[in-house]
Amino acid sequence: MITVDGVKQNFGESFSLDVSLEVLKKEYLVLLGPSGCGKSLLLGAIAGIVGIAEGAIAVDGRDVSDEPPERREIGYVFQQRALFPHLSVIGNIEFSLRIRKLSPAQRKERVDELVQTLDLAPLLDRPVPTLSGGESQKVAIARALAPKPQILLLDEPLSLVDHNSRLELQDELKRIHQDLGITTLHVTHNREEAQALADRCAVMLGGRIVQLGKRIEVFSRPNCIFVDRFLGVGSETPPPAPGCSEICLAGNGQCDRPYSSEQVASEKTQGDEPAEKA
Amino acid sequence: MILRTIIAVLGLAAFHLVVALMPSSPVPLATNIVLFAANLYVLYCARFSVRTGSSSRVALFALGYFLLFVLVLVILDRESLFILLIVVYASVFHVPYLLGYFVIFVLSFVIFQPYSAETFIPLALVYALIVQAGKKRTSPFVLLCLGVGLFFLVLILFPLLHLSMLDSPRTLGQAFGREDVRAAIWTSIATSSVATAIVSLFGVPLAYALARLRFRGQRFVETLIDLPILVPQSVVGVALLTLLGPGSPLGRALETHFDIQIAGRFLGVVLAQVFVSSPFLIKTAMTAFEGVPQHLEDAARTLGANGRTAFWRVSLPLASRGVVVGMVLAWARSISEFGSIILFASSPLTAPILVHTEFAKAGISESRPIAVLLLLICLWTFVLLQFGQSLLPKALQRVRGLR
């Protein structure tokens, strides 16, 4: 559904993004990694708000690398919510519908649908700046879903939410994914979220993906010491790959493991199997 | 307690008796009796301070009384005023908030007597602001900074306040009745509005671009924007005259081929005003656009808005307050422009230039009503425009608060 093919971009001297990734149709892929590993940048690149220097991004087989964000038809939920403070809750939800010049009746119909799906009725009269973290996140999700995108990108959707709302929102995300069958890419640094939601997991470090696989596989068989530590598995880890000096253990978010094309290929073949449902 | 009260009252009575029986009594008998009554009241009020037991409070009360005594009775020798003041003083001493106003009142109406109203109003306002700001648990240092700053502001505004107090509504009405005065004020308002519209048309896009882009040479562009603030007004006038004056090649070409005259015309006034007012709008609007987080625009883009739609529906509404402030500043700067206009386009007369020519012709008393009139009109327009902003989305502050 989303093909990230050898996407590269430099961000200053010390950090660069270098990723290939295939997100399957209707799967829930969780992109895990410590802060500063480039996972949000990758998400931004897919949505088109972060530029890329090399490589290509395709959505449903269509190359969108040169398309502006507004023509990619991808729903994006920002870490900071990015709700429009000058608009009402409804104004936020129907923003995309107004831009698509839907008639008031059509807009109302779609907004009613979303209000029902996400149980937003009690929030409709509240000014946007007074919404709590969990509430504003629900509105942000509704807003992203309004134009019926095929793909939903979630950037740390549960990070600014208190514990109770987090569990509730987590269930909500799972339900939305199952009900709508929408391809979802969820970025987080929290392994519990990955365990609760993911069909597949990708672990990122230093701007590259170090392991990609089914959730159970990644959590039971980490392929390097970093993944093992980061996921807190504590299993018997395999010896470092040739060329890997375990520089990641220094904790400054770098990885010097050679990123071989075979690995990408093997991940691609893995991807051809039907995704396991959570 | 009762004993002490009796001693105090008797002591006071004895003191007044001595004053009355003095060979050349400094106060007449009637005044002395009223004074005695007033002092009894002061004593009655002071008992609260004594009862709270804080000796520093009592000392402060006595000090205030003594200062009033020296100031009003000894130096100014005004008994009736003194009686009035001590009664009020004793009444408000227990309410520190009112005591402040009392001190300001004494300062303005007794010490700065010829400037009483124009000192009392701003000082009372400053005091009210500080009291109001200090209600929460604020650090005294910050309040002190506020006080010093506001006092400075009062000093700056004092000449204007004094000016506006001098003329009666009748002289102002007379001035406004004059045809040339009305025409000049109208010219000022019209040219400033046109100039502001022109500056907005070009300045807002520039401000938006500079807030959103990062490119080499940006600092240079930003310095260029500030340039008109730096250049003396007379230099602006000479520069414009050199370029577009009737003797210059460009000015002559415009006049012969397109029948456009700039120098000494409405257009010339507008041009000079555009030149001097542009930095105010561009800089303010830039800050406003920078205050709109990039991710809000990104969000609009992922929701299907192209760059232009994102600007109209998100960035501009959220920056609108700042943009309007910039427009108000540009308008104010335009209407106040004098130096370049008098050189480059001294006709049609704008109000600042009329004030100057009247002064040159007939002196200060003739030009003052016009000056006051101009001041009042500018002030009210300014206040109205600032008030108008509150109708715009509040989003900017809210967004800042969220981050």
PDB file of all heavy atoms in Angstrom, chain A residues 218-238:
ATOM      1  N   VAL A 218       9.101 -10.069  16.134  1.00  0.00           N
ATOM      2  CA  VAL A 218      10.029  -9.027  16.583  1.00  0.00           C
ATOM      3  C   VAL A 218      10.191  -9.081  18.100  1.00  0.00           C
ATOM      4  O   VAL A 218      11.296  -8.974  18.626  1.00  0.00           O
ATOM      5  CB  VAL A 218       9.544  -7.632  16.134  1.00  0.00           C
ATOM      6  CG1 VAL A 218      10.406  -6.535  16.743  1.00  0.00           C
ATOM      7  CG2 VAL A 218       9.553  -7.537  14.628  1.00  0.00           C
ATOM      8  N   PHE A 219       9.078  -9.279  18.787  1.00  0.00           N
ATOM      9  CA  PHE A 219       9.157  -9.258  20.251  1.00  0.00           C
ATOM     10  C   PHE A 219       9.777 -10.529  20.820  1.00  0.00           C
ATOM     11  O   PHE A 219      10.297 -10.523  21.929  1.00  0.00           O
ATOM     12  CB  PHE A 219       7.764  -9.030  20.853  1.00  0.00           C
ATOM     13  CG  PHE A 219       7.426  -7.567  20.979  1.00  0.00           C
ATOM     14  CD1 PHE A 219       6.824  -6.884  19.931  1.00  0.00           C
ATOM     15  CD2 PHE A 219       7.744  -6.870  22.141  1.00  0.00           C
ATOM     16  CE1 PHE A 219       6.539  -5.535  20.033  1.00  0.00           C
ATOM     17  CE2 PHE A 219       7.447  -5.522  22.247  1.00  0.00           C
ATOM     18  CZ  PHE A 219       6.847  -4.853  21.197  1.00  0.00           C
ATOM     19  N   SER A 220       9.717 -11.636  20.055  1.00  0.00           N
ATOM     20  CA  SER A 220      10.308 -12.845  20.623  1.00  0.00           C
ATOM     21  C   SER A 220      11.713 -13.085  20.096  1.00  0.00           C
ATOM     22  O   SER A 220      12.530 -13.702  20.767  1.00  0.00           O
ATOM     23  CB  SER A 220       9.414 -14.053  20.323  1.00  0.00           C
ATOM     24  OG  SER A 220       9.276 -14.177  18.921  1.00  0.00           O
ATOM     25  N   ARG A 221      11.974 -12.605  18.884  1.00  0.00           N
ATOM     26  CA  ARG A 221      13.315 -12.844  18.340  1.00  0.00           C
ATOM     27  C   ARG A 221      13.947 -11.556  17.820  1.00  0.00           C
ATOM     28  O   ARG A 221      14.028 -11.329  16.618  1.00  0.00           O
ATOM     29  CB  ARG A 221      13.243 -13.901  17.234  1.00  0.00           C
ATOM     30  CG  ARG A 221      13.458 -15.317  17.753  1.00  0.00           C
ATOM     31  CD  ARG A 221      13.377 -16.323  16.637  1.00  0.00           C
ATOM     32  NE  ARG A 221      12.013 -16.481  16.151  1.00  0.00           N
ATOM     33  CZ  ARG A 221      11.695 -16.632  14.868  1.00  0.00           C
ATOM     34  NH1 ARG A 221      12.610 -16.626  13.941  1.00  0.00           N
ATOM     35  NH2 ARG A 221      10.441 -16.790  14.515  1.00  0.00           N
ATOM     36  N   PRO A 222      14.403 -10.695  18.744  1.00  0.00           N
ATOM     37  CA  PRO A 222      15.093  -9.478  18.313  1.00  0.00           C
ATOM     38  C   PRO A 222      16.339  -9.863  17.526  1.00  0.00           C
ATOM     39  O   PRO A 222      17.022 -10.821  17.916  1.00  0.00           O
ATOM     40  CB  PRO A 222      15.473  -8.780  19.613  1.00  0.00           C
ATOM     41  CG  PRO A 222      14.789  -9.517  20.703  1.00  0.00           C
ATOM     42  CD  PRO A 222      14.407 -10.855  20.209  1.00  0.00           C
ATOM     43  N   ASN A 223      16.613  -9.119  16.441  1.00  0.00           N
ATOM     44  CA  ASN A 223      17.740  -9.546  15.617  1.00  0.00           C
ATOM     45  C   ASN A 223      19.039  -8.839  15.975  1.00  0.00           C
ATOM     46  O   ASN A 223      20.069  -9.089  15.385  1.00  0.00           O
ATOM     47  CB  ASN A 223      17.408  -9.416  14.133  1.00  0.00           C
ATOM     48  CG  ASN A 223      17.317  -7.961  13.707  1.00  0.00           C
ATOM     49  OD1 ASN A 223      17.445  -7.055  14.545  1.00  0.00           O
ATOM     50  ND2 ASN A 223      17.099  -7.732  12.431  1.00  0.00           N
ATOM     51  N   CYS A 224      19.007  -7.913  16.940  1.00  0.00           N
ATOM     52  CA  CYS A 224      20.275  -7.352  17.374  1.00  0.00           C
ATOM     53  C   CYS A 224      20.136  -6.857  18.797  1.00  0.00           C
ATOM     54  O   CYS A 224      19.031  -6.800  19.361  1.00  0.00           O
ATOM     55  CB  CYS A 224      20.772  -6.239  16.441  1.00  0.00           C
ATOM     56  SG  CYS A 224      19.983  -4.647  16.730  1.00  0.00           S
ATOM     57  N   ILE A 225      21.259  -6.516  19.379  1.00  0.00           N
ATOM     58  CA  ILE A 225      21.261  -6.185  20.796  1.00  0.00           C
ATOM     59  C   ILE A 225      20.430  -4.931  21.080  1.00  0.00           C
ATOM     60  O   ILE A 225      19.778  -4.841  22.112  1.00  0.00           O
ATOM     61  CB  ILE A 225      22.707  -6.025  21.304  1.00  0.00           C
ATOM     62  CG1 ILE A 225      22.733  -5.748  22.815  1.00  0.00           C
ATOM     63  CG2 ILE A 225      23.435  -4.907  20.597  1.00  0.00           C
ATOM     64  CD1 ILE A 225      23.561  -6.748  23.552  1.00  0.00           C
ATOM     65  N   PHE A 226      20.403  -3.999  20.102  1.00  0.00           N
ATOM     66  CA  PHE A 226      19.630  -2.773  20.344  1.00  0.00           C
ATOM     67  C   PHE A 226      18.137  -3.078  20.448  1.00  0.00           C
ATOM     68  O   PHE A 226      17.458  -2.635  21.371  1.00  0.00           O
ATOM     69  CB  PHE A 226      19.871  -1.744  19.231  1.00  0.00           C
ATOM     70  CG  PHE A 226      18.886  -0.617  19.299  1.00  0.00           C
ATOM     71  CD1 PHE A 226      19.030   0.368  20.264  1.00  0.00           C
ATOM     72  CD2 PHE A 226      17.774  -0.589  18.463  1.00  0.00           C
ATOM     73  CE1 PHE A 226      18.093   1.385  20.372  1.00  0.00           C
ATOM     74  CE2 PHE A 226      16.833   0.423  18.576  1.00  0.00           C
ATOM     75  CZ  PHE A 226      17.003   1.409  19.533  1.00  0.00           C
ATOM     76  N   VAL A 227      17.632  -3.854  19.490  1.00  0.00           N
ATOM     77  CA  VAL A 227      16.206  -4.185  19.494  1.00  0.00           C
ATOM     78  C   VAL A 227      15.872  -4.932  20.774  1.00  0.00           C
ATOM     79  O   VAL A 227      14.854  -4.666  21.436  1.00  0.00           O
ATOM     80  CB  VAL A 227      15.840  -5.013  18.245  1.00  0.00           C
ATOM     81  CG1 VAL A 227      14.366  -5.400  18.277  1.00  0.00           C
ATOM     82  CG2 VAL A 227      16.149  -4.234  16.991  1.00  0.00           C
ATOM     83  N   ASP A 228      16.754  -5.831  21.164  1.00  0.00           N
ATOM     84  CA  ASP A 228      16.556  -6.605  22.382  1.00  0.00           C
ATOM     85  C   ASP A 228      16.415  -5.689  23.593  1.00  0.00           C
ATOM     86  O   ASP A 228      15.482  -5.805  24.383  1.00  0.00           O
ATOM     87  CB  ASP A 228      17.744  -7.552  22.577  1.00  0.00           C
ATOM     88  CG  ASP A 228      17.554  -8.425  23.803  1.00  0.00           C
ATOM     89  OD1 ASP A 228      16.654  -9.267  23.766  1.00  0.00           O
ATOM     90  OD2 ASP A 228      18.288  -8.219  24.784  1.00  0.00           O
ATOM     91  N   ARG A 229      17.336  -4.753  23.693  1.00  0.00           N
ATOM     92  CA  ARG A 229      17.283  -3.828  24.835  1.00  0.00           C
ATOM     93  C   ARG A 229      16.074  -2.909  24.755  1.00  0.00           C
ATOM     94  O   ARG A 229      15.398  -2.675  25.741  1.00  0.00           O
ATOM     95  CB  ARG A 229      18.547  -2.950  24.843  1.00  0.00           C
ATOM     96  CG  ARG A 229      19.810  -3.734  25.048  1.00  0.00           C
ATOM     97  CD  ARG A 229      20.251  -3.652  26.489  1.00  0.00           C
ATOM     98  NE  ARG A 229      21.390  -4.522  26.714  1.00  0.00           N
ATOM     99  CZ  ARG A 229      22.615  -4.073  26.949  1.00  0.00           C
ATOM    100  NH1 ARG A 229      22.839  -2.779  27.000  1.00  0.00           N
ATOM    101  NH2 ARG A 229      23.598  -4.920  27.152  1.00  0.00           N
ATOM    102  N   PHE A 230      15.832  -2.401  23.541  1.00  0.00           N
ATOM    103  CA  PHE A 230      14.773  -1.392  23.403  1.00  0.00           C
ATOM    104  C   PHE A 230      13.400  -1.989  23.692  1.00  0.00           C
ATOM    105  O   PHE A 230      12.541  -1.349  24.292  1.00  0.00           O
ATOM    106  CB  PHE A 230      14.801  -0.781  21.996  1.00  0.00           C
ATOM    107  CG  PHE A 230      13.852   0.361  21.827  1.00  0.00           C
ATOM    108  CD1 PHE A 230      14.094   1.564  22.472  1.00  0.00           C
ATOM    109  CD2 PHE A 230      12.703   0.239  21.057  1.00  0.00           C
ATOM    110  CE1 PHE A 230      13.210   2.620  22.348  1.00  0.00           C
ATOM    111  CE2 PHE A 230      11.822   1.295  20.925  1.00  0.00           C
ATOM    112  CZ  PHE A 230      12.086   2.486  21.581  1.00  0.00           C
ATOM    113  N   LEU A 231      13.208  -3.227  23.278  1.00  0.00           N
ATOM    114  CA  LEU A 231      11.913  -3.860  23.518  1.00  0.00           C
ATOM    115  C   LEU A 231      11.873  -4.534  24.881  1.00  0.00           C
ATOM    116  O   LEU A 231      10.831  -5.036  25.304  1.00  0.00           O
ATOM    117  CB  LEU A 231      11.601  -4.876  22.422  1.00  0.00           C
ATOM    118  CG  LEU A 231      11.502  -4.304  21.009  1.00  0.00           C
ATOM    119  CD1 LEU A 231      11.181  -5.412  20.024  1.00  0.00           C
ATOM    120  CD2 LEU A 231      10.451  -3.209  20.934  1.00  0.00           C
ATOM    121  N   GLY A 232      13.027  -4.552  25.564  1.00  0.00           N
ATOM    122  CA  GLY A 232      13.070  -5.144  26.896  1.00  0.00           C
ATOM    123  C   GLY A 232      12.792  -6.626  26.884  1.00  0.00           C
ATOM    124  O   GLY A 232      12.161  -7.166  27.779  1.00  0.00           O
ATOM    125  N   VAL A 233      13.258  -7.322  25.833  1.00  0.00           N
ATOM    126  CA  VAL A 233      12.984  -8.750  25.720  1.00  0.00           C
ATOM    127  C   VAL A 233      13.913  -9.531  26.645  1.00  0.00           C
ATOM    128  O   VAL A 233      13.484 -10.417  27.383  1.00  0.00           O
ATOM    129  CB  VAL A 233      13.150  -9.229  24.264  1.00  0.00           C
ATOM    130  CG1 VAL A 233      12.887 -10.708  24.165  1.00  0.00           C
ATOM    131  CG2 VAL A 233      12.215  -8.445  23.359  1.00  0.00           C
ATOM    132  N   GLY A 234      15.199  -9.203  26.620  1.00  0.00           N
ATOM    133  CA  GLY A 234      16.171  -9.887  27.462  1.00  0.00           C
ATOM    134  C   GLY A 234      16.403 -11.321  27.045  1.00  0.00           C
ATOM    135  O   GLY A 234      16.692 -12.190  27.857  1.00  0.00           O
ATOM    136  N   SER A 235      16.225 -11.560  25.751  1.00  0.00           N
ATOM    137  CA  SER A 235      16.427 -12.932  25.280  1.00  0.00           C
ATOM    138  C   SER A 235      17.888 -13.122  24.916  1.00  0.00           C
ATOM    139  O   SER A 235      18.712 -12.224  25.052  1.00  0.00           O
ATOM    140  CB  SER A 235      15.548 -13.173  24.059  1.00  0.00           C
ATOM    141  OG  SER A 235      16.020 -12.361  23.006  1.00  0.00           O
ATOM    142  N   GLU A 236      18.183 -14.303  24.434  1.00  0.00           N
ATOM    143  CA  GLU A 236      19.536 -14.574  23.972  1.00  0.00           C
ATOM    144  C   GLU A 236      19.658 -13.943  22.593  1.00  0.00           C
ATOM    145  O   GLU A 236      19.025 -14.385  21.637  1.00  0.00           O
ATOM    146  CB  GLU A 236      19.729 -16.082  23.875  1.00  0.00           C
ATOM    147  CG  GLU A 236      21.129 -16.519  24.245  1.00  0.00           C
ATOM    148  CD  GLU A 236      21.184 -18.028  24.249  1.00  0.00           C
ATOM    149  OE1 GLU A 236      20.701 -18.633  25.225  1.00  0.00           O
ATOM    150  OE2 GLU A 236      21.696 -18.583  23.268  1.00  0.00           O
ATOM    151  N   THR A 237      20.394 -12.866  22.492  1.00  0.00           N
ATOM    152  CA  THR A 237      20.445 -12.160  21.221  1.00  0.00           C
ATOM    153  C   THR A 237      21.493 -12.773  20.309  1.00  0.00           C
ATOM    154  O   THR A 237      22.504 -13.292  20.779  1.00  0.00           O
ATOM    155  CB  THR A 237      20.788 -10.686  21.428  1.00  0.00           C
ATOM    156  OG1 THR A 237      21.868 -10.607  22.348  1.00  0.00           O
ATOM    157  CG2 THR A 237      19.603  -9.914  21.946  1.00  0.00           C
ATOM    158  N   PRO A 238      21.224 -12.687  19.030  1.00  0.00           N
ATOM    159  CA  PRO A 238      22.199 -13.225  18.084  1.00  0.00           C
ATOM    160  C   PRO A 238      23.479 -12.393  18.112  1.00  0.00           C
ATOM    161  O   PRO A 238      23.465 -11.246  18.555  1.00  0.00           O
ATOM    162  CB  PRO A 238      21.478 -13.104  16.744  1.00  0.00           C
ATOM    163  CG  PRO A 238      20.487 -12.019  16.939  1.00  0.00           C
ATOM    164  CD  PRO A 238      20.075 -12.076  18.363  1.00  0.00           C
TER     165      PRO A 238
END
